[in-house]
Amino acid sequence: MPTSFQELSNFIWAVADLLRGPYRPPQYERVMLPMTVLRRFDCVLEPTKEKVLRKYASMQEGKVKNLDSILNRIAGNGEDIGFHNHSRFDFQSLKGDPDNIVHHLSGYIDGFSENVKEIFSHFNFGTEIEKLEEANRLYQVVSKFADIDLSPERIDNITMGLLFEDLIRRFNEAANETAGDHFTPREVIRLMTNLLLEPDNHILTSAGVIVKICDPTCGTGGMLSEAQNWIRSHNEDATVIAYGQDYNPRSYAVAASDLLIKGHRDSKIAFGDTLINDQFDGERFDYLLANPPFGVDWKGQQAQVVAEHQRGDRGRFGPKLPRVNDGALLFLLHMIAKFEQVLPEQKKNGARCAIVFNGSPLFTGGAGSGESEIRRWIIGNDWLEAIVALPEQMFYNTGIGTFVWVVTNRKVKARKGKIQLIDARERWKPMRRSLGDKRRYLDNDTIEAITREHGAFEPSETCKIFENSYFGYRRITVEQPLRLRFQITDDAKEQFLDACPEFLDMVRDLERTLGTDAYDDWNEAWAVAQGLAKEAELRWTAVSRKHFRNSFTEIDPEAKPVISKRVNASGLIGPELFPGQTLIDSMNPTKFNALFGLYADESDKKGRVVEYEADPALRDFENVPLKEDIVSYFMREVQPFVEDAWINRSQVDEKDGGIGKVGYEINFNRVFFKYKPPRPLEEIDAELAAVENRILKRLSKVTA
């Protein structure tokens, strides 16, 4: 009989060969994982089986509400072990009656406590029992498992947990076409766990420490298991309470079984959609880690998510909502809402979380968008500690690049106001055999090197450290004036008068006054047209004005700007529009006003300034780093190239009141960009000549 967990795992893996035929290898886990759970529970309950049956028989005579709790204690010899089985069957009796194996196995499962029956209902194991019986394999499988000794005296909870984790990993890797939906590569989890827990080694190794961890998209529970193993390896006396939630029934069943097998009675795995059915409402955690779905829309949850967003700080999604076609950032908002507070007097040390994203949450969405506002909220609160860029082709169901975010509400002093970026995109090893899209992995040395690099917090070729504001920018709108040339032509008259025939006499008078030559000043032509219309007692409407200008004008870059209006410049531009920015106090006021589209008009006796109408076709945008004032940036980067441009002062940020919308993005490619000079032209020419010679030689053979 096998002795180590690895030998046991190999033995159980070999039993799966019995399923060949009715099941494909990726489907073996549907039978093997539930059967492993059943056999473990059967071995755990064997010493107290008769006591449980006697107590159950006596309790059937009366109405007992807390039946499970009482029998759980009997099963554990006075200690509530979290489950029991009150059926008369066990694996040995099942093996002894092959003719009734289907009926008896179903009755055996029905005899478990409600929590175990719920797990097996999510395994949908009843369907597998019927399928195995139809294929004449059920008895063979049960007999093989009956011969495996998984008793606690022989295999403790820790070893059993390792066995179950190894089986989960094997079956998930065998089912690599769907593994990414509920399984994260183990080396990625190890790296995440290191980044999450290593900085708190001094806390986690203290005597009597109690730690609450959570994975809101726990899948089969790999991240929770790895985090528990890390803490246990550093402090055997630590109490770890694990919480997880998943909406995939089979994944939930596997994760819940794993906790019961390990004897974690205080921990909890819940079933449900985290975004709309928070099973741990009101709970707070010390550590959170997750691998949420990449690029999955949340249309189905939109109504509930929006309703919670409208609750503001009382809900999980108060800051902003991302676009509906990618809900990844919603999971991060959920995790932050679960952060433990920083209250040293109550021994609450705050929280840390690690989460895997694709590149989208880094930069998707411009200034003012939901994604940008979420990044702004996180960085503005100084919660983003570090981001690690992983190699491509690391996951089973996607080859895209991925990133590990580390977020915390209690940065150490040296990290306050700073964000660390680590580039690990080229630190991979090739796999001997691809598993789906996974062709690369991180070896232990690489994981340790990245962990040390994170802890050292020192700049290097692959590690950059920036102030929080480095990733913020102010998106300003740059306008240029609309320039129209006015000219009366037969076609223009026909076009206008077809729509506004009542202006016929006015148009004739206008033609006599201005003639048919082109005018480069629309403002002058329009003033004449207004005067003639007034004399003729004609009233301009918005529609007639639009028809008039569309008919008689064309855009001409050489024409004079179209005046929109004249306004009093007093109080329009002031320091209050530039919070936290440096103004150029010595600048001439007239020149300064012109930067914002307010131009001096010496002909205006009232001292008003002119505002020009902007040409939508020439509108452009500039992202100004937050560390620089928009005036200096505009004068350096825009005005020398477009002299008549101005900053649209009406575009104001809702939060800080400054001109332009504030946005945040994290661009790894720009930060770690390495310039590669082009090859010399001589080298390229020589290469092209060699190719041409080869082509000519081949052609000569064809035409010879």
Side-chain angles (χ1 to χ4, degrees):
M1 185 65 192
T3 54
S4 70
F5 91 87
Q6 191 63 59
E7 290 174 334
L8 277 168
S9 179
N10 292 339
F11 184 80
I12 294 172
W13 183 259
V15 175
D17 285 338
L18 292 171
L19 304 178
R20 192 178 302 276
Y23 291 88
R24 294 184 297 109
Q27 298 173 326
Y28 290 173
E29 54 93 13
R30 298 181 184 180
V31 174
M32 302 308 293
L33 292 181
M35 287 299 297
T36 303
V37 174
L38 279 179
R39 182 56 180 149
R40 171 63 172 184
F41 288 172
D42 186 64
C43 292
V44 169
L45 298 174
E46 183 179 357
T48 58
K49 180 77 172 180
E50 293 302 322
K51 290 182 181 180
V52 171
L53 291 178
R54 287 195 298 269
K55 186 65 175 179
Y56 178 71
S58 68
M59 294 171 65
Q60 291 302 293
E61 300 174 0
K63 296 182 178 180
V64 180
K65 295 182 179 180
N66 58 342
L67 179 66
D68 277 1
S69 178
I70 294 173
L71 294 181
N72 288 351
R73 288 189 174 278
I74 300 280
N77 266 329
E79 179 186 0
D80 187 347
I81 62 172
F83 61 94
H84 75 272
N85 186 294
H86 55 255
S87 78
R88 61 185 177 88
F89 300 106
D90 57 19
F91 264 69
Q92 298 308 318
S93 61
L94 291 171
K95 182 180 178 180
D97 191 357
D99 295 335
N100 296 295
I101 188 68
V102 175
H103 178 70
H104 290 171
L105 181 57
S106 298
Y108 176 63
I109 294 173
D110 286 339
F112 275 102
S113 49
E114 291 299 323
N115 58 335
V116 176
K117 286 196 290 186
E118 181 188 5
I119 289 172
F120 276 86
S121 70
H122 285 94
F123 269 129
N124 197 22
F125 197 53
T127 301
E128 308 308 329
I129 291 175
E130 295 176 2
K131 185 174 180 179
L132 285 168
E133 178 62 12
E134 289 175 4
N136 199 28
R137 307 292 173 87
L138 180 60
Y139 180 74
Q140 298 178 57
V141 172
V142 172
S143 296
K144 285 289 186 181
F145 271 95
D147 294 336
I148 303 174
D149 185 1
L150 299 180
S151 61
E153 292 75 19
R154 195 165 173 281
I155 302 174
D156 60 22
N157 283 345
I158 294 177
T159 305
M160 189 64 209
L162 294 173
L163 165 64
F164 200 63
E165 287 176 31
D166 190 61
L167 289 173
I168 293 170
R169 177 187 61 79
R170 288 192 183 197
F171 285 121
N172 278 326
E173 289 180 352
N176 58 63
E177 71 268 21
T178 58
D181 294 337
H182 55 274
F183 184 67
T184 307
R186 189 61 46 161
E187 76 270 20
V188 174
I189 299 177
R190 283 199 293 269
L191 174 62
M192 293 175 66
T193 305
N194 281 4
L195 296 174
L196 185 72
L197 302 177
E198 196 71 49
D200 283 353
N201 189 48
H202 61 292
I203 296 175
L204 296 172
T205 55
S206 59
V209 66
I210 300 174
V211 180
K212 289 176 65 178
I213 61 177
C214 177
D215 182 349
T217 59
C218 67
T220 53
M223 289 191 177
L224 292 175
S225 296
E226 194 67 34
Q228 292 175 85
N229 293 341
W230 192 100
I231 296 172
R232 188 186 300 118
S233 68
H234 289 72
N235 184 357
E236 293 182 356
D237 298 326
T239 300
V240 183
I241 304 173
Y243 288 72
Q245 182 170 344
D246 203 271
Y247 69 90
N248 180 291
R250 193 176 301 277
S251 298
Y252 155 76
V254 172
S257 301
D258 187 35
L259 281 187
L260 277 178
I261 281 176
K262 293 174 179 176
H264 294 302
R265 293 182 298 278
D266 294 330
S267 300
K268 182 178 180 182
I269 301 295
F271 178 73
D273 187 335
T274 298
L275 295 183
I276 61 175
N277 186 17
D278 180 11
Q279 293 287 322
F280 307 127
D281 188 26
E283 293 281 358
R284 291 183 178 272
F285 301 97
D286 304 298
Y287 302 97
L288 302 100
L289 62 173
N291 174 18
F294 294 167
V296 175
D297 70 59
W298 47 283
K299 293 177 183 176
Q301 303 101 318
Q302 188 169 8
Q304 297 96 320
V305 170
V306 170
E308 187 162 355
H309 165 66
Q310 292 171 344
R311 292 171 55 195
D313 293 340
R314 293 178 293 118
R316 295 171 293 164
F317 312 122
K320 206 76 172 180
L321 297 178
R323 62 194 65 192
V324 77
N325 61 1
D326 187 355
L329 282 168
L330 290 176
F331 290 95
L332 180 55
L333 291 178
H334 166 83
M335 294 167 78
I336 292 174
K338 299 292 183 183
F339 274 9
E340 182 58 88
Q341 296 174 300
V342 182
L343 299 171
E345 66 279 3
Q346 299 181 25
K347 296 184 178 180
K348 294 181 178 180
N349 300 309
R352 294 174 58 79
C353 89
I355 186 168
V356 181
F357 283 142
N358 61 10
S360 179
L362 289 171
F363 52 78
T364 298
S369 68
E371 293 87 350
S372 177
E373 287 297 293
I374 292 171
R375 291 190 291 266
R376 179 181 184 179
W377 179 69
I378 293 171
I379 295 174
N381 281 292
D382 198 19
W383 292 336
L384 182 56
E385 176 177 295
I387 300 178
V388 179
L390 300 178
E392 296 179 346
Q393 302 177 18
M394 285 287 293
F395 284 74
Y396 299 99
N397 64 344
T398 179
I400 63 175
T402 50
F403 302 80
V404 177
W405 291 38
V406 180
V407 183
T408 178
N409 62 353
R410 55 176 177 85
K411 286 184 180 181
V412 297
K413 185 177 180 180
R415 290 183 179 270
K416 288 188 180 298
K418 297 181 175 64
I419 297 172
Q420 181 182 22
L421 303 184
I422 298 176
D423 187 4
R425 289 175 292 185
E426 300 301 324
R427 303 189 218 179
W428 50 270
K429 301 288 184 181
M431 296 183 63
R432 294 180 180 178
R433 180 176 63 88
S434 298
L435 294 171
D437 290 310
K438 181 172 175 60
R439 298 177 177 86
R440 299 169 176 176
Y441 74 100
L442 302 176
D443 62 13
N444 289 333
D445 290 341
T446 301
I447 293 172
E448 292 302 320
I450 296 172
T451 304
R452 288 193 300 270
E453 192 168 24
H454 170 255
F457 196 59
E458 295 177 354
S460 68
E461 185 176 351
T462 56
C463 175
K464 307 294 182 184
I465 299 171
F466 299 94
E467 300 287 338
N468 288 346
S469 60
Y470 176 85
F471 301 102
Y473 62 90
R474 194 174 293 273
R475 186 174 176 83
I476 61 173
T477 304
V478 178
E479 307 281 17
Q480 294 183 56
L482 177 66
R483 297 176 182 272
L484 297 177
R485 183 185 73 248
F486 178 86
Q487 186 173 17
I488 299 176
T489 64
D490 291 340
D491 289 341
K493 288 189 294 184
E494 182 179 354
Q495 180 180 337
F496 175 63
L497 294 174
D498 280 347
C500 305
E502 68 274 17
F503 283 84
L504 175 60
D505 292 337
M506 189 278 292
V507 170
R508 289 173 177 171
D509 291 340
L510 184 63
E511 186 174 2
R512 284 194 292 269
T513 304
L514 299 179
T516 57
D517 292 337
Y519 268 73
D520 67 352
D521 190 348
W522 154 257
N523 307 297
E524 181 180 332
W526 175 235
V528 174
Q530 285 180 300
L532 292 174
K534 185 176 182 180
E535 291 177 5
E537 297 183 348
L538 293 171
R539 183 171 174 271
W540 291 100
T541 64
V543 173
S544 60
R545 283 198 299 268
K546 182 178 179 181
H547 279 306
F548 182 78
R549 194 166 86 171
N550 289 345
S551 300
F552 292 105
T553 63
E554 290 184 0
I555 292 177
D556 184 352
E558 302 301 322
K560 294 182 179 180
V562 174
I563 295 175
S564 174
K565 57 184 175 180
R566 288 180 171 83
V567 296
N568 189 339
S570 176
L572 289 177
I573 298 294
E576 68 278 0
L577 294 176
F578 306 92
Q581 298 188 34
T582 303
L583 286 176
I584 304 176
D585 297 327
S586 61
M587 185 180 294
N588 180 287
T590 300
K591 184 178 179 181
F592 184 78
N593 283 342
L595 297 177
F596 299 92
L598 300 172
Y599 298 93
D601 184 4
E602 296 179 358
S603 65
D604 190 275
K605 298 180 180 179
K606 297 181 180 180
R608 295 176 299 178
V609 293
V610 168
E611 284 190 82
Y612 294 131
E613 184 175 341
D615 187 343
L618 299 178
R619 183 170 294 131
D620 201 358
F621 303 92
E622 292 284 336
N623 292 343
V624 183
L626 283 184
K627 59 184 179 181
E628 185 171 2
D629 68 84
I630 64 174
V631 172
S632 300
Y633 180 93
F634 182 82
M635 293 181 66
R636 184 184 71 251
E637 301 291 340
V638 179
Q639 199 173 53
F641 311 101
V642 190
E643 293 182 358
D644 58 357
W646 72 87
I647 302 169
N648 187 330
R649 70 178 190 280
S650 66
Q651 299 291 323
V652 177
D653 188 79
E654 297 176 359
K655 292 184 177 178
D656 69 7
I659 290 179
K661 298 284 186 181
V662 172
Y664 277 81
E665 68 176 19
I666 302 169
N667 192 323
F668 256 80
N669 290 330
R670 183 175 62 210
V671 169
F672 290 99
F673 174 74
K674 295 179 181 178
Y675 174 72
K676 293 183 179 180
R679 291 186 297 162
L681 286 176
E682 295 78 6
E683 182 181 329
I684 298 173
D685 289 340
E687 190 174 308
L688 289 173
V691 172
E692 289 176 357
N693 288 332
R694 288 200 301 270
I695 294 174
L696 289 173
K697 287 180 180 179
R698 292 179 181 179
L699 285 175
S700 64
K701 293 179 181 179
V702 174
T703 57

